[in-house]
């Protein structure tokens, strides 16, 4: 069995919380089912440039409220790709 191949990992859609740096994305590996990924989190340096990505970790109330605001859009996008079961 072959290992992970980054060439087969595709980002289909992405949302970024500009305030907290949290990224939510729909990813698909090869021909597998598209799935929701929470993270990474990309914070800003003092000079305004992006720091290296880090784990999302625990979500703040700001992250939860932002996710609540976009969840219908995310659900619709993912549902269109996966379809009913």
């Amino acid at each position: 069995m072959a290992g992970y191949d980054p060439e087969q990992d595709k980002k289909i859609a992405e949302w970024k919380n500009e305030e907290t740096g949290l990224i939510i994305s729909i990813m698909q590996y090869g021909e597998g089912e598209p799935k929701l990924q929470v993270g990474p989190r990309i914070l800003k340096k003092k000079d305004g440039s992006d720091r290296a990505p880090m784990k999302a970790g625990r979500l703040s109330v700001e992250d939860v409220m932002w996710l609540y605001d976009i969840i219908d859009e995310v659900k619709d996008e993912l549902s269109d790709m996966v379809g009913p079961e």
Side-chain angles (χ1 to χ4, degrees):
M1 180 176 192
Y4 171 75
D5 180 3
E7 301 265 330
Q8 291 195 47
D9 212 5
K10 302 182 278 196
K11 185 180 296 183
I12 300 171
E14 179 180 274
W15 296 263
K16 181 176 182 185
N17 184 328
E18 296 299 330
E19 291 179 18
T20 67
L22 182 65
I23 296 175
I24 303 291
S25 55
I26 297 175
M27 303 291 291
Q28 183 177 21
Y29 186 77
E31 296 302 315
E33 178 180 333
K35 296 180 181 176
L36 183 66
Q37 177 172 315
V38 178
R41 187 181 300 275
I42 301 177
L43 301 175
K44 297 282 185 191
K45 294 180 185 177
K46 288 182 182 180
D47 66 6
S49 62
D50 288 344
R51 290 178 49 189
M54 57 191 282
K55 288 182 181 182
R58 297 174 182 174
L59 302 184
S60 67
V61 71
E62 290 86 2
D63 289 325
V64 173
M65 295 305 293
W66 171 74
L67 188 55
Y68 180 80
D69 289 343
I70 67 165
I71 199 66
D72 286 333
E73 179 183 347
V74 173
K75 176 187 62 93
D76 291 344
E77 184 99 18
L78 190 56
S79 295
D80 289 346
M81 294 174 201
V82 175
E85 292 190 21

